[in-house]
Amino acid sequence: MKITILDDYFDTLRTLPCFAKLAGHDVTVWNDHEQDVDRLAKRLADTEVLVLFRERTQIRAPLLERLPKLKLISQRSVYPHIDIDACTRLGIVVSSSQHAGTPSYAAAELTWALALAASRLLPQQIEALKSGRWQMGVGSTLRGKTLGIYGYGRIGATVAGYGRAFGMRVLVWSREKTREDARRDGYEVAPDKQTFFRECDVLSLHMRLVDATRGIVTRTDLAEMKPTAILVNTSRAPLIEPGALVAALQAGRPGMAAVDVFEKEPLLDTADPLLNMPNVIATPHIGYVSRDEYEVQFSDIFDQIVDYVAGTPSHVVNPAVLAARRR
């Protein structure tokens, strides 16, 4: 099979043990990011299997209609960047393991790193030291503070455990079913959303981006936060109402944000407000970017290719295509 892998920025996959699963196939790996439809159509013209790095590249009908040889898209996790209806219409199988029961420990660890870095002003202290200044301010400790977990799924539950280990009060807000999960795990559940935003010292978002969660954090919610509070977002930027975070930070509630995700990615505009506010620390969507996490994720992705070649497609998100898939 002719397999193309997009957006492997640092050519990491070839160095992982799981890459051996593709032995015998004709594999092309692209290390840049390309979204222009004409250029993508040209580089993918002979591709039979397309491997994606999460949501880095948009795969929509105008591109798919120009890829007559494409039979399978293999990826992991959610797929808002893929036109599933167009894939089904064109006979293209989309396989995407939802990694049930397996959290992204890499994303959870980055969440915690950002919370610690923001509370102790680590980026600012490091920059001050490098510029010849000895200390630039006074940070805060986390012990005894309230950690808010908005969305108690696999990653949210893992981060809650980190907070508990650090001696924090953990407060959860989520949909009713997962609130029950949090109670069962021994965590306190907020009586309502307003109280949740009002009481948290560190508030971390852990929800998938779907229609129901888009803009779920509003300007009103953010205005309830303490002027000393930190908002951490390693999930998806559009969980927050457009423009609300910058406005809230300018107004001083919350006092600080630590973000790994942005409305437009990759974010290359150095004039973006979030990159120029003294009360923001930011990382370039590296929550899942670790060699260990890649090995876990791409083992699943490559297994889906092996299954497809064997005639038993797995984790198919558009099962209606199976009766008329491309051969």
Side-chain angles (χ1 to χ4, degrees), residues 210-231:
V210 295
D211 289 343
T213 61
R214 187 175 295 274
I216 198 169
V217 177
T218 68
R219 294 171 185 263
T220 301
D221 294 329
L222 296 176
E224 292 288 345
M225 297 185 72
K226 301 175 184 179
T228 55
I230 301 167
L231 178 76

Side-chain angles (χ1 to χ4, degrees), residues 241-260:
E241 180 185 343
L245 180 57
V246 169
L249 290 165
Q250 290 171 337
R253 291 178 181 266
M256 197 166 186
V259 298
D260 186 48

Side-chain angles (χ1 to χ4, degrees), residues 112 114-122 125 137-147 162-163 166-169 200-202 226 228-230 256:
W112 199 246
L114 288 174
L116 287 168
S119 65
R120 296 302 298 273
L121 305 175
L122 289 186
Q125 297 284 12
V138 179
S140 301
T141 55
L142 295 180
R143 188 174 185 84
K145 303 285 177 38
T146 297
L147 169 65
Y162 297 163
F166 270 68
M168 299 185 76
R169 171 201 180 204
C200 292
D201 296 297
V202 178
K226 301 175 184 179
T228 55
I230 301 167
M256 197 166 186

